[in-house]
Amino acid sequence: MASSTTQKEKIIFNKPQNRNKIIDIQSYSWIGWDMDHTIIRYKIKNFLIGIVNSIVHHLVHFSAFDPYLLQLLENFDYTFFQRGVILDRSNGNFIKFDDKKEIIKGYIGSSYELSQSEISQIYDHPLTKQIINSFDGDSNHRFWPIITFFDIPVAAILCFIIDKYYGTHKTFPPSDFIEFNFNHIYKSFCDSFTTSFEKSFWNQLKNNPEEFVYKQDITLRWLEQYRNSTKENKPKLFLLTNSPPDYADLLMNYCFGPNWTNLFDLVVTSASKPKFFKRIKKSIEFEYLDSNSIPRNIRYISNDILRINGLFRSGNIVDFEKLINPTGNSKICYFGDNLMCDIVSVKNYTKWDSFSIVEELEMFNQNSANTEITNTIIELLQPTNRFWDCWFLINQKNNNSNIVDRNEDTIERVSYYYALEQMNAIASSVSVEQFAMDHFNQI
Protein backbone atom coordinates (compact mmCIF):
# COMPACT_ATOMS: atom_id res chain seq x y z
CA MET A 1 0.00 0.00 0.00
CA ALA A 2 1.28 3.42 -0.91
CA SER A 3 1.12 6.14 1.68
CA SER A 4 -1.20 8.98 0.84
CA THR A 5 0.13 12.48 0.25
CA THR A 6 -0.60 15.33 2.63
CA GLN A 7 -2.05 18.55 1.27
CA LYS A 8 -2.02 21.93 2.91
CA GLU A 9 -5.46 22.69 4.15
CA LYS A 10 -7.44 25.66 5.37
CA ILE A 11 -9.48 24.64 8.37
CA ILE A 12 -12.74 26.55 8.66
CA PHE A 13 -14.00 26.62 12.24
CA ASN A 14 -17.68 27.07 11.58
CA LYS A 15 -20.07 28.51 14.13
CA PRO A 16 -23.01 26.08 14.45
CA GLN A 17 -26.43 27.62 14.08
CA ASN A 18 -28.26 28.84 17.19
CA ARG A 19 -25.16 28.54 19.38
CA ASN A 20 -25.76 29.92 22.90
CA LYS A 21 -29.23 31.05 21.91
CA ILE A 22 -31.10 32.58 24.85
CA ILE A 23 -34.29 30.61 25.44
CA ASP A 24 -37.42 31.71 27.26
CA ILE A 25 -37.31 29.55 30.38
CA GLN A 26 -40.79 30.58 31.42
CA SER A 27 -42.27 29.10 28.23
CA TYR A 28 -41.58 25.56 29.53
CA SER A 29 -43.40 23.49 32.12
CA TRP A 30 -40.40 21.24 32.70
CA ILE A 31 -36.67 21.57 31.99
CA GLY A 32 -34.59 18.39 32.07
CA TRP A 33 -30.89 17.65 32.16
CA ASP A 34 -28.63 14.75 31.38
CA MET A 35 -25.81 14.27 33.91
CA ASP A 36 -22.53 13.09 32.36
CA HIS A 37 -20.83 15.73 30.20
CA THR A 38 -23.85 17.95 30.68
CA ILE A 39 -24.57 19.08 34.22
CA ILE A 40 -21.38 17.27 35.27
CA ARG A 41 -18.20 18.29 33.46
CA TYR A 42 -15.23 15.95 33.50
CA LYS A 43 -11.57 16.88 33.41
CA ILE A 44 -11.31 15.32 29.98
CA LYS A 45 -7.61 14.42 29.92
CA ASN A 46 -7.65 12.79 33.39
CA PHE A 47 -11.01 11.20 32.59
CA LEU A 48 -9.68 9.50 29.43
CA ILE A 49 -6.43 8.37 31.04
CA GLY A 50 -8.26 7.05 34.12
CA ILE A 51 -10.67 4.93 32.08
CA VAL A 52 -7.91 3.57 29.83
CA ASN A 53 -5.93 2.65 32.94
CA SER A 54 -8.96 0.84 34.37
CA ILE A 55 -9.80 -1.08 31.20
CA VAL A 56 -6.22 -2.17 30.53
CA HIS A 57 -5.71 -3.50 34.06
CA HIS A 58 -9.03 -5.33 33.89
CA LEU A 59 -8.11 -6.93 30.54
CA VAL A 60 -4.66 -8.04 31.74
CA HIS A 61 -5.62 -9.25 35.22
CA PHE A 62 -9.16 -10.56 34.70
CA SER A 63 -9.35 -11.50 30.99
CA ALA A 64 -5.81 -12.88 30.51
CA PHE A 65 -4.83 -10.36 27.83
CA ASP A 66 -1.15 -10.03 26.95
CA PRO A 67 0.64 -7.71 29.42
CA TYR A 68 2.05 -5.79 26.44
CA LEU A 69 -1.17 -3.76 26.73
CA LEU A 70 0.34 -2.13 29.81
CA GLN A 71 2.69 -0.31 27.41
CA LEU A 72 -0.30 1.77 26.34
CA LEU A 73 -0.41 3.30 29.81
CA GLU A 74 3.10 4.68 29.31
CA ASN A 75 2.40 6.31 25.94
CA PHE A 76 -1.35 6.83 25.74
CA ASP A 77 -2.09 9.37 23.00
CA TYR A 78 -5.59 10.70 23.60
CA THR A 79 -5.35 13.18 20.71
CA PHE A 80 -5.93 10.77 17.81
CA PHE A 81 -9.57 10.08 18.56
CA GLN A 82 -12.56 12.34 18.79
CA ARG A 83 -16.31 12.25 18.42
CA GLY A 84 -17.47 11.60 14.89
CA VAL A 85 -14.83 9.01 14.01
CA ILE A 86 -16.31 5.61 13.14
CA LEU A 87 -14.87 2.11 13.58
CA ASP A 88 -15.43 -0.29 10.68
CA ARG A 89 -15.79 -3.52 12.61
CA SER A 90 -15.14 -5.65 9.55
CA ASN A 91 -11.52 -4.58 9.05
CA GLY A 92 -10.33 -2.33 11.89
CA ASN A 93 -10.40 0.88 9.88
CA PHE A 94 -11.24 4.14 11.56
CA ILE A 95 -13.08 6.36 9.09
CA LYS A 96 -14.92 9.65 8.83
CA PHE A 97 -17.98 10.47 6.72
CA ASP A 98 -19.02 13.78 5.30
CA ASP A 99 -22.67 14.86 5.33
CA LYS A 100 -23.34 12.78 2.19
CA LYS A 101 -21.85 9.63 3.76
CA GLU A 102 -18.79 9.80 1.58
CA ILE A 103 -15.64 8.64 3.36
CA ILE A 104 -13.29 11.62 3.46
CA LYS A 105 -10.52 10.04 5.53
CA GLY A 106 -9.53 6.67 6.96
CA TYR A 107 -6.78 4.91 8.89
CA ILE A 108 -5.87 1.30 9.60
CA GLY A 109 -5.68 1.66 13.35
CA SER A 110 -3.80 4.90 13.79
CA SER A 111 -0.54 3.95 12.13
CA TYR A 112 -1.45 3.98 8.45
CA GLU A 113 -3.51 6.58 6.59
CA LEU A 114 -5.52 5.21 3.68
CA SER A 115 -5.21 7.00 0.36
CA GLN A 116 -8.37 7.99 -1.51
CA SER A 117 -7.74 5.20 -4.02
CA GLU A 118 -7.47 2.67 -1.19
CA ILE A 119 -10.67 4.01 0.36
CA SER A 120 -12.41 3.60 -3.02
CA GLN A 121 -11.06 0.08 -3.41
CA ILE A 122 -12.40 -0.93 0.01
CA TYR A 123 -15.75 0.87 0.05
CA ASP A 124 -16.88 1.50 -3.53
CA HIS A 125 -18.81 -1.74 -3.93
CA PRO A 126 -22.61 -1.84 -4.35
CA LEU A 127 -23.23 -3.99 -1.25
CA THR A 128 -20.87 -1.90 0.90
CA LYS A 129 -22.49 1.29 -0.39
CA GLN A 130 -25.88 -0.12 0.54
CA ILE A 131 -24.67 -0.83 4.09
CA ILE A 132 -23.22 2.69 4.35
CA ASN A 133 -26.40 4.31 3.06
CA SER A 134 -28.49 2.41 5.61
CA PHE A 135 -26.26 3.54 8.49
CA ASP A 136 -28.33 5.93 10.61
CA GLY A 137 -25.59 7.08 12.96
CA ASP A 138 -26.20 4.46 15.64
CA SER A 139 -23.99 1.45 16.27
CA ASN A 140 -24.69 -1.66 14.17
CA HIS A 141 -22.98 -4.89 13.11
CA ARG A 142 -20.64 -3.02 10.73
CA PHE A 143 -20.09 0.48 12.15
CA TRP A 144 -19.45 1.72 15.68
CA PRO A 145 -19.34 5.52 15.94
CA ILE A 146 -17.50 7.42 18.65
CA ILE A 147 -20.39 9.54 19.90
CA THR A 148 -19.33 10.51 23.43
CA PHE A 149 -16.08 10.96 25.34
CA PHE A 150 -16.84 7.64 27.05
CA ASP A 151 -16.26 5.91 23.70
CA ILE A 152 -12.74 7.26 23.18
CA PRO A 153 -10.93 4.93 25.67
CA VAL A 154 -12.56 1.86 24.08
CA ALA A 155 -11.49 3.02 20.62
CA ALA A 156 -7.97 3.88 21.79
CA ILE A 157 -7.29 0.45 23.30
CA LEU A 158 -8.71 -1.38 20.29
CA CYS A 159 -6.61 0.85 18.03
CA PHE A 160 -3.48 -0.02 20.02
CA ILE A 161 -4.18 -3.73 19.44
CA ILE A 162 -4.90 -3.15 15.74
CA ASP A 163 -1.66 -1.19 15.34
CA LYS A 164 0.29 -4.10 16.80
CA TYR A 165 -1.45 -6.53 14.45
CA TYR A 166 -0.82 -4.33 11.41
CA GLY A 167 2.81 -3.80 12.42
CA THR A 168 3.29 -7.57 12.42
CA HIS A 169 1.14 -8.67 9.47
CA LYS A 170 1.00 -5.53 7.25
CA THR A 171 -2.63 -6.18 6.42
CA PHE A 172 -6.13 -5.67 7.82
CA PRO A 173 -6.97 -7.72 10.92
CA PRO A 174 -9.83 -10.21 10.32
CA SER A 175 -13.30 -9.30 11.52
CA ASP A 176 -13.39 -12.06 14.17
CA PHE A 177 -10.17 -10.62 15.62
CA ILE A 178 -11.80 -7.19 15.80
CA GLU A 179 -15.00 -8.52 17.37
CA PHE A 180 -13.20 -10.64 19.96
CA ASN A 181 -11.11 -7.72 21.16
CA PHE A 182 -13.88 -5.14 20.88
CA ASN A 183 -16.29 -7.24 22.95
CA HIS A 184 -13.72 -7.88 25.68
CA ILE A 185 -12.67 -4.23 25.79
CA TYR A 186 -16.28 -3.07 26.01
CA LYS A 187 -17.05 -5.54 28.81
CA SER A 188 -14.01 -4.30 30.72
CA PHE A 189 -15.19 -0.74 30.11
CA CYS A 190 -18.59 -1.54 31.66
CA ASP A 191 -16.97 -3.34 34.60
CA SER A 192 -14.78 -0.28 35.21
CA PHE A 193 -17.87 1.62 36.41
CA THR A 194 -19.57 -1.12 38.39
CA THR A 195 -16.82 -3.36 39.79
CA SER A 196 -14.56 -2.36 42.64
CA PHE A 197 -11.23 -3.87 41.56
CA GLU A 198 -8.06 -2.03 42.56
CA LYS A 199 -7.58 0.07 39.39
CA SER A 200 -11.26 0.40 38.46
CA PHE A 201 -12.40 3.82 37.36
CA TRP A 202 -15.12 3.56 39.98
CA ASN A 203 -12.47 3.22 42.71
CA GLN A 204 -10.38 6.03 41.24
CA LEU A 205 -13.43 8.27 41.17
CA LYS A 206 -14.52 7.40 44.73
CA ASN A 207 -11.05 8.01 46.14
CA ASN A 208 -10.19 11.17 44.20
CA PRO A 209 -13.23 12.79 42.56
CA GLU A 210 -11.39 16.11 42.34
CA GLU A 211 -9.01 14.52 39.82
CA PHE A 212 -11.80 13.77 37.35
CA VAL A 213 -14.65 16.28 37.65
CA TYR A 214 -15.02 20.02 38.14
CA LYS A 215 -16.95 21.58 40.99
CA GLN A 216 -20.06 23.24 39.59
CA ASP A 217 -20.16 26.50 41.55
CA ILE A 218 -21.78 28.63 38.82
CA THR A 219 -24.44 26.06 37.97
CA LEU A 220 -25.06 25.38 41.67
CA ARG A 221 -25.58 29.08 42.35
CA TRP A 222 -28.01 29.31 39.42
CA LEU A 223 -29.94 26.24 40.56
CA GLU A 224 -30.11 27.45 44.16
CA GLN A 225 -31.33 30.88 43.12
CA TYR A 226 -33.80 29.22 40.79
CA ARG A 227 -35.15 26.99 43.57
CA ASN A 228 -35.50 30.00 45.87
CA SER A 229 -37.12 32.18 43.23
CA THR A 230 -40.67 33.30 43.97
CA LYS A 231 -41.65 33.59 40.31
CA GLU A 232 -45.05 32.13 39.62
CA ASN A 233 -45.47 29.14 37.30
CA LYS A 234 -41.75 28.66 36.87
CA PRO A 235 -40.78 25.36 35.19
CA LYS A 236 -40.02 22.33 37.30
CA LEU A 237 -36.61 20.69 36.90
CA PHE A 238 -35.68 17.05 36.37
CA LEU A 239 -32.46 15.07 35.98
CA LEU A 240 -32.60 12.09 33.59
CA THR A 241 -29.40 10.06 33.32
CA ASN A 242 -28.23 6.62 32.24
CA SER A 243 -25.81 6.51 35.17
CA PRO A 244 -26.75 4.17 38.04
CA PRO A 245 -27.86 5.69 41.37
CA ASP A 246 -24.61 5.17 43.28
CA TYR A 247 -22.50 6.63 40.46
CA ALA A 248 -24.86 9.59 40.04
CA ASP A 249 -24.90 10.22 43.79
CA LEU A 250 -21.10 10.17 44.01
CA LEU A 251 -20.65 12.77 41.28
CA MET A 252 -23.60 14.99 42.16
CA ASN A 253 -22.70 14.93 45.85
CA TYR A 254 -19.14 16.07 45.08
CA CYS A 255 -20.14 18.73 42.52
CA PHE A 256 -23.36 20.05 44.08
CA GLY A 257 -23.28 18.97 47.72
CA PRO A 258 -25.06 16.30 49.80
CA ASN A 259 -28.48 17.87 49.26
CA TRP A 260 -28.20 17.81 45.47
CA THR A 261 -31.54 16.05 45.01
CA ASN A 262 -33.23 19.14 46.51
CA LEU A 263 -32.20 21.06 43.39
CA PHE A 264 -34.60 19.00 41.24
CA ASP A 265 -38.26 18.08 41.39
CA LEU A 266 -37.56 14.66 39.94
CA VAL A 267 -34.45 12.52 39.39
CA VAL A 268 -34.34 9.40 37.20
CA THR A 269 -31.20 7.24 37.12
CA SER A 270 -30.36 4.12 35.08
CA ALA A 271 -32.72 5.42 32.39
CA SER A 272 -31.30 3.28 29.54
CA LYS A 273 -31.63 5.99 26.91
CA PRO A 274 -32.37 5.84 24.01
CA LYS A 275 -34.62 2.88 24.86
CA PHE A 276 -36.24 5.04 27.56
CA PHE A 277 -37.73 7.33 24.89
CA LYS A 278 -39.12 4.57 22.67
CA ARG A 279 -42.82 3.87 23.12
CA ILE A 280 -42.61 0.09 23.28
CA LYS A 281 -45.38 -2.19 24.52
CA LYS A 282 -43.34 -3.96 27.20
CA SER A 283 -41.98 -0.99 29.13
CA ILE A 284 -39.51 -1.04 31.99
CA GLU A 285 -41.16 -0.06 35.25
CA PHE A 286 -39.98 2.77 37.45
CA GLU A 287 -38.39 1.94 40.77
CA TYR A 288 -38.75 4.49 43.55
CA LEU A 289 -35.65 4.91 45.72
CA ASP A 290 -36.57 5.84 49.28
CA SER A 291 -34.29 7.42 51.86
CA ASN A 292 -32.64 4.05 52.47
CA SER A 293 -32.17 3.46 48.72
CA ILE A 294 -34.48 0.43 48.84
CA PRO A 295 -36.33 0.20 45.51
CA ARG A 296 -40.00 -0.59 45.23
CA ASN A 297 -41.83 -0.96 41.94
CA ILE A 298 -44.23 1.79 40.96
CA ARG A 299 -46.21 1.40 37.76
CA TYR A 300 -48.47 4.44 37.85
CA ILE A 301 -47.45 7.39 39.96
CA SER A 302 -49.79 10.17 41.03
CA ASN A 303 -48.78 13.80 40.66
CA ASP A 304 -48.31 14.24 44.41
CA ILE A 305 -45.11 12.16 44.16
CA LEU A 306 -43.55 14.96 42.07
CA ARG A 307 -41.73 16.65 44.89
CA ILE A 308 -38.23 17.61 45.90
CA ASN A 309 -36.14 14.47 46.53
CA GLY A 310 -38.22 12.32 44.17
CA LEU A 311 -35.54 9.79 43.16
CA PHE A 312 -36.22 6.96 40.71
CA ARG A 313 -34.47 4.29 38.70
CA SER A 314 -35.21 2.88 35.22
CA GLY A 315 -38.66 3.69 33.81
CA ASN A 316 -40.04 4.59 30.39
CA ILE A 317 -41.33 7.60 28.47
CA VAL A 318 -45.03 6.64 28.67
CA ASP A 319 -45.16 6.56 32.46
CA PHE A 320 -42.74 9.47 32.72
CA GLU A 321 -45.02 11.71 30.67
CA LYS A 322 -47.96 10.64 32.81
CA LEU A 323 -45.93 12.13 35.64
CA ILE A 324 -44.88 15.40 34.07
CA ASN A 325 -47.30 15.92 31.21
CA PRO A 326 -50.67 14.35 32.08
CA THR A 327 -52.63 16.60 29.71
CA GLY A 328 -50.21 16.24 26.83
CA ASN A 329 -50.03 20.02 26.47
CA SER A 330 -46.96 20.81 28.55
CA LYS A 331 -43.85 22.16 26.87
CA ILE A 332 -40.69 20.28 27.86
CA CYS A 333 -37.02 20.96 27.15
CA TYR A 334 -34.11 18.55 27.61
CA PHE A 335 -30.35 19.26 27.74
CA GLY A 336 -27.90 16.54 26.71
CA ASP A 337 -24.58 15.82 25.06
CA ASN A 338 -25.15 12.46 23.35
CA LEU A 339 -26.24 12.90 19.74
CA MET A 340 -28.17 9.65 19.50
CA CYS A 341 -29.47 9.20 23.07
CA ASP A 342 -30.26 12.80 23.96
CA ILE A 343 -30.86 14.69 20.73
CA VAL A 344 -31.96 12.39 17.90
CA SER A 345 -34.03 10.13 20.18
CA VAL A 346 -35.78 13.07 21.81
CA LYS A 347 -36.60 14.44 18.37
CA ASN A 348 -37.80 11.09 17.00
CA TYR A 349 -39.87 9.82 19.93
CA THR A 350 -41.13 12.87 21.85
CA LYS A 351 -42.49 16.35 21.30
CA TRP A 352 -39.85 17.84 23.59
CA ASP A 353 -37.39 20.52 22.57
CA SER A 354 -33.74 19.54 22.84
CA PHE A 355 -30.75 21.66 23.76
CA SER A 356 -27.35 20.23 22.81
CA ILE A 357 -24.29 20.59 25.02
CA VAL A 358 -21.18 20.57 22.82
CA GLU A 359 -17.95 20.85 24.81
CA GLU A 360 -15.94 21.30 21.63
CA LEU A 361 -17.57 24.73 21.27
CA GLU A 362 -15.26 25.77 24.10
CA MET A 363 -12.80 26.64 21.33
CA PHE A 364 -15.07 29.55 20.39
CA ASN A 365 -15.90 30.62 23.92
CA GLN A 366 -14.57 34.13 24.43
CA ASN A 367 -16.12 34.43 27.91
CA SER A 368 -15.26 31.06 29.39
CA ALA A 369 -16.25 30.46 32.99
CA ASN A 370 -13.21 28.19 33.34
CA THR A 371 -10.03 28.83 31.33
CA GLU A 372 -8.64 25.45 32.42
CA ILE A 373 -11.47 23.74 30.53
CA THR A 374 -10.91 25.94 27.48
CA ASN A 375 -7.19 25.15 27.40
CA THR A 376 -7.84 21.41 27.84
CA ILE A 377 -10.34 21.32 24.97
CA ILE A 378 -7.94 23.21 22.70
CA GLU A 379 -5.11 20.87 23.73
CA LEU A 380 -7.33 17.88 22.96
CA LEU A 381 -8.66 19.13 19.62
CA GLN A 382 -5.76 20.95 17.98
CA PRO A 383 -3.54 17.85 17.51
CA THR A 384 -6.62 15.83 16.54
CA ASN A 385 -7.51 18.32 13.82
CA ARG A 386 -4.39 17.21 11.97
CA PHE A 387 -6.07 13.81 11.61
CA TRP A 388 -9.82 14.42 11.45
CA ASP A 389 -10.90 18.04 12.06
CA CYS A 390 -13.30 18.79 14.86
CA TRP A 391 -16.35 16.51 14.81
CA PHE A 392 -18.90 19.15 13.79
CA LEU A 393 -16.64 20.83 11.21
CA ILE A 394 -15.46 20.11 7.70
CA ASN A 395 -12.02 20.68 6.21
CA GLN A 396 -11.81 23.07 3.27
CA LYS A 397 -9.03 22.10 0.85
CA ASN A 398 -6.77 24.93 -0.17
CA ASN A 399 -3.43 24.16 -1.75
CA ASN A 400 -2.01 27.60 -1.06
CA SER A 401 -2.73 28.07 2.62
CA ASN A 402 -2.35 26.44 5.98
CA ILE A 403 -4.57 28.66 8.11
CA VAL A 404 -6.69 28.14 11.17
CA ASP A 405 -9.35 30.85 11.20
CA ARG A 406 -11.49 30.72 14.34
CA ASN A 407 -13.41 33.83 13.38
CA GLU A 408 -14.81 32.45 10.12
CA ASP A 409 -18.55 33.08 10.16
CA THR A 410 -19.56 30.89 7.22
CA ILE A 411 -21.93 28.04 7.99
CA GLU A 412 -20.60 25.01 6.15
CA ARG A 413 -22.00 21.51 5.96
CA VAL A 414 -20.89 19.51 8.95
CA SER A 415 -18.49 16.64 8.41
CA TYR A 416 -20.22 14.32 10.89
CA TYR A 417 -23.22 13.88 8.64
CA TYR A 418 -25.82 13.07 11.23
CA ALA A 419 -24.72 16.01 13.36
CA LEU A 420 -27.19 17.81 11.11
CA GLU A 421 -29.78 16.16 13.34
CA GLN A 422 -28.23 17.86 16.33
CA MET A 423 -28.35 21.27 14.67
CA ASN A 424 -32.13 20.83 14.71
CA ALA A 425 -31.91 21.17 18.47
CA ILE A 426 -33.35 24.48 19.58
CA ALA A 427 -29.83 25.65 20.44
CA SER A 428 -26.29 24.51 21.15
CA SER A 429 -24.25 25.60 24.14
CA VAL A 430 -20.72 24.94 25.24
CA SER A 431 -21.79 23.96 28.76
CA VAL A 432 -24.49 24.17 31.39
CA GLU A 433 -22.35 26.78 33.18
CA GLN A 434 -22.53 28.97 30.10
CA PHE A 435 -26.28 28.44 29.91
CA ALA A 436 -26.57 29.44 33.58
CA MET A 437 -24.51 32.58 32.98
CA ASP A 438 -26.66 33.49 29.97
CA HIS A 439 -29.93 32.94 31.85
CA PHE A 440 -29.31 34.36 35.32
CA ASN A 441 -31.51 37.36 34.50
CA GLN A 442 -34.55 35.08 34.01
CA ILE A 443 -34.70 34.10 37.69
Side-chain angles (χ1 to χ4, degrees):
M1 296 181 180
S3 178
S4 60
T5 59
T6 302
Q7 290 181 303
K8 290 184 176 181
E9 299 169 332
K10 178 182 179 182
I11 302 176
I12 305 294
F13 285 83
N14 308 298
K15 296 180 180 179
Q17 295 169 324
N18 298 324
R19 184 173 66 89
N20 287 349
K21 176 182 176 182
I22 305 299
I23 67 171
D24 180 9
I25 292 177
Q26 291 297 120
S27 69
Y28 292 97
S29 299
W30 283 85
I31 297 178
W33 317 82
D34 183 27
M35 188 185 77
D36 296 294
H37 298 289
T38 301
I39 205 164
I40 294 291
R41 293 193 80 178
Y42 289 90
K43 298 181 178 181
I44 297 296
K45 184 176 179 179
N46 293 352
F47 167 82
L48 296 176
I49 292 173
I51 296 178
V52 166
N53 188 32
S54 177
I55 296 173
V56 166
H57 277 92
H58 189 275
L59 288 170
V60 172
H61 297 296
F62 295 95
S63 298
F65 269 56
D66 194 312
Y68 86 88
L69 268 182
L70 295 171
Q71 298 173 20
L72 177 60
L73 303 180
E74 301 172 7
N75 302 293
F76 172 50
D77 180 9
Y78 59 89
T79 63
F80 178 75
F81 289 103
Q82 65 172 257
R83 302 199 288 168
V85 176
I86 298 168
L87 167 68
D88 184 342
R89 297 164 74 157
S90 71
N91 53 29
N93 290 344
F94 289 94
I95 58 178
K96 188 171 185 179
F97 292 150
D98 66 10
D99 61 301
K100 297 178 181 178
K101 299 187 184 180
E102 296 293 333
I103 298 173
I104 56 176
K105 191 167 285 191
Y107 291 83
I108 303 175
S110 66
S111 57
Y112 180 84
E113 182 178 355
L114 296 168
S115 67
Q116 284 300 314
S117 62
E118 290 166 340
I119 289 174
S120 297
Q121 183 179 356
I122 298 167
Y123 294 101
D124 283 355
H125 296 287
L127 182 57
T128 305
K129 283 286 189 183
Q130 184 178 348
I131 294 172
I132 291 174
N133 289 334
S134 66
F135 176 54
D136 64 0
D138 208 354
S139 179
N140 61 27
H141 70 284
R142 177 70 184 264
F143 297 117
W144 181 75
I146 300 174
I147 297 177
T148 76
F149 288 106
F150 284 103
D151 298 327
I152 291 178
V154 175
I157 296 169
L158 180 61
C159 184
F160 184 77
I161 294 172
I162 292 170
D163 283 343
K164 188 176 191 314
Y165 184 96
Y166 181 77
T168 302
H169 301 281
K170 302 301 180 186
T171 188
F172 301 108
S175 60
D176 57 349
F177 176 88
I178 300 296
E179 284 303 301
F180 173 85
N181 286 284
F182 178 83
N183 290 335
H184 275 277
I185 294 168
Y186 197 80
K187 181 183 183 304
S188 292
F189 166 80
C190 294
D191 287 346
S192 294
F193 293 87
T194 58
T195 307
S196 190
F197 59 93
E198 182 183 1
K199 298 286 186 178
S200 72
F201 186 68
W202 172 241
N203 267 359
Q204 295 179 63
L205 199 58
K206 280 195 300 184
N207 294 333
N208 299 289
E210 71 281 356
E211 292 292 319
F212 299 101
V213 292
Y214 293 101
K215 287 277 192 178
Q216 295 296 313
D217 296 336
I218 293 174
T219 307
L220 174 59
R221 183 158 56 95
W222 184 84
L223 288 170
E224 287 177 335
Q225 290 188 23
Y226 185 87
R227 298 303 305 179
N228 295 328
S229 169
T230 57
K231 275 194 174 182
E232 294 183 0
N233 300 320
K234 66 182 181 182
K236 291 183 171 64
L237 304 181
F238 68 88
L239 185 73
L240 178 67
T241 175
N242 281 354
S243 291
D246 50 355
Y247 187 85
D249 184 61
L250 173 67
L251 292 184
M252 294 296 291
N253 183 69
Y254 173 76
C255 294
F256 293 95
N259 298 319
W260 66 269
T261 55
N262 293 347
L263 300 171
F264 305 93
D265 296 282
L266 183 63
V267 177
V268 179
T269 61
S270 300
S272 298
K273 299 173 295 180
K275 186 178 180 180
F276 180 92
F277 294 114
K278 298 179 180 180
R279 300 175 188 275
I280 55 180
K281 290 183 178 179
K282 191 175 181 180
S283 299
I284 300 174
E285 294 185 353
F286 278 102
E287 294 177 327
Y288 177 69
L289 305 178
D290 66 17
S291 58
N292 296 315
S293 297
I294 300 173
R296 59 184 176 87
N297 289 331
I298 294 181
R299 182 59 180 167
Y300 299 108
I301 308 170
S302 60
N303 285 337
D304 61 4
I305 202 70
L306 292 178
R307 64 186 191 281
I308 293 174
N309 288 334
L311 179 60
F312 299 86
R313 181 170 64 186
S314 304
N316 62 87
I317 189 63
V318 175
D319 290 344
F320 190 71
E321 289 196 332
K322 287 179 181 178
L323 285 168
I324 68 172
N325 189 16
T327 66
N329 298 321
S330 297
K331 192 176 179 184
I332 302 165
C333 178
Y334 186 66
F335 291 72
D337 71 299
N338 188 312
L339 258 178
M340 300 308 297
C341 290
D342 301 327
I343 308 301
V344 175
S345 293
V346 166
K347 180 185 174 186
N348 287 346
Y349 302 111
T350 76
K351 295 181 180 179
W352 302 2
D353 288 336
S354 56
F355 196 113
S356 59
I357 300 299
V358 185
E359 288 203 71
E360 289 89 341
L361 289 175
E362 192 71 59
M363 296 187 73
F364 305 117
N365 195 5
Q366 302 299 319
N367 302 302
S368 175
N370 190 323
T371 56
E372 179 185 349
I373 297 177
T374 305
N375 293 334
T376 300
I377 292 295
I378 291 174
E379 179 187 356
L380 177 70
L381 292 182
Q382 280 188 332
T384 312
N385 285 334
R386 294 199 302 267
F387 301 104
W388 304 106
D389 307 335
C390 194
W391 71 277
F392 53 87
L393 308 176
I394 189 166
N395 237 352
Q396 300 296 306
K397 301 286 185 180
N398 188 317
N399 293 331
N400 299 316
S401 64
N402 186 19
I403 303 170
V404 175
D405 182 1
R406 291 192 194 170
N407 297 316
E408 182 66 42
D409 203 30
T410 306
I411 301 297
E412 301 288 343
R413 288 189 164 191
V414 291
S415 51
Y416 195 21
Y417 80 92
Y418 62 81
L420 286 171
E421 295 282 357
Q422 179 203 277
M423 296 311 159
N424 287 325
I426 60 167
S428 298
S429 180
V430 62
S431 66
V432 172
E433 297 106 303
Q434 190 65 49
F435 171 85
M437 291 171 65
D438 291 341
H439 293 78
F440 262 116
N441 63 345
Q442 292 195 39
I443 59 173

